[in-house]
Amino acid sequence: MSLMKRVGIAFAALAAAVMVGQLTVISRANASSREVSEFRERAAVFQRSVLGMKGDFYLYDDQNNMYVLVAATSPDNQRLVEDTYEQGLRGSERFAVDLRG
């Protein structure tokens, strides 16, 4: 076998090995990309839930703080005291619903 033929065969074998390696890398990169996308979708559900709970907690906390303030400074305004208390309860209920998921 001539030297040129041996070099040609070696080059073809090397090219085939490089192509197989590149296809493997591309295939694994695509699989990783799909897994990351699926993870983002699953994590987004929890992020939305946590943000909802955070907002509901702040509603509950703010309204209860306001309830104490209104009850202490305007005890004669019974309607405002009751409304503020009911808003705090609604925040608490919404928080419980979000927590149960």
Side-chain angles (χ1 to χ4, degrees), residues 5-55:
K5 200 178 233 184
R6 287 182 188 173
V7 169
I9 291 172
F11 181 74
L14 179 62
V18 167
M19 282 191 237
V20 168
Q22 290 298 320
L23 289 174
T24 302
V25 167
I26 291 170
S27 173
R28 289 185 180 179
N30 286 336
S32 294
S33 177
R34 282 191 301 273
E35 288 178 20
V36 167
S37 294
E38 290 170 5
F39 175 77
R40 281 186 186 151
E41 290 173 12
R42 289 191 310 264
V45 172
F46 293 112
Q47 288 173 340
R48 283 190 297 272
S49 179
V50 167
L51 286 175
M53 285 189 292
K54 180 180 172 184

Side-chain angles (χ1 to χ4, degrees), residues 1-94:
M1 193 181 285
S2 73
L3 180 61
M4 288 303 282
K5 200 178 233 184
R6 287 182 188 173
V7 169
I9 291 172
F11 181 74
L14 179 62
V18 167
M19 282 191 237
V20 168
Q22 290 298 320
L23 289 174
T24 302
V25 167
I26 291 170
S27 173
R28 289 185 180 179
N30 286 336
S32 294
S33 177
R34 282 191 301 273
E35 288 178 20
V36 167
S37 294
E38 290 170 5
F39 175 77
R40 281 186 186 151
E41 290 173 12
R42 289 191 310 264
V45 172
F46 293 112
Q47 288 173 340
R48 283 190 297 272
S49 179
V50 167
L51 286 175
M53 285 189 292
K54 180 180 172 184
D56 294 341
F57 173 77
Y58 284 144
L59 171 66
Y60 165 76
D61 186 53
D62 289 346
Q63 291 305 318
N64 280 315
N65 288 337
M66 183 63 74
Y67 166 71
V68 171
L69 178 66
V70 169
T73 59
S74 301
D76 54 328
N77 193 346
Q78 194 62 31
R79 182 69 186 150
L80 181 59
V81 171
E82 291 172 5
D83 287 346
T84 307
Y85 182 75
E86 288 175 20
Q87 289 172 355
L89 287 179
R90 276 198 302 269
S92 176
E93 291 165 359
R94 286 176 27 189

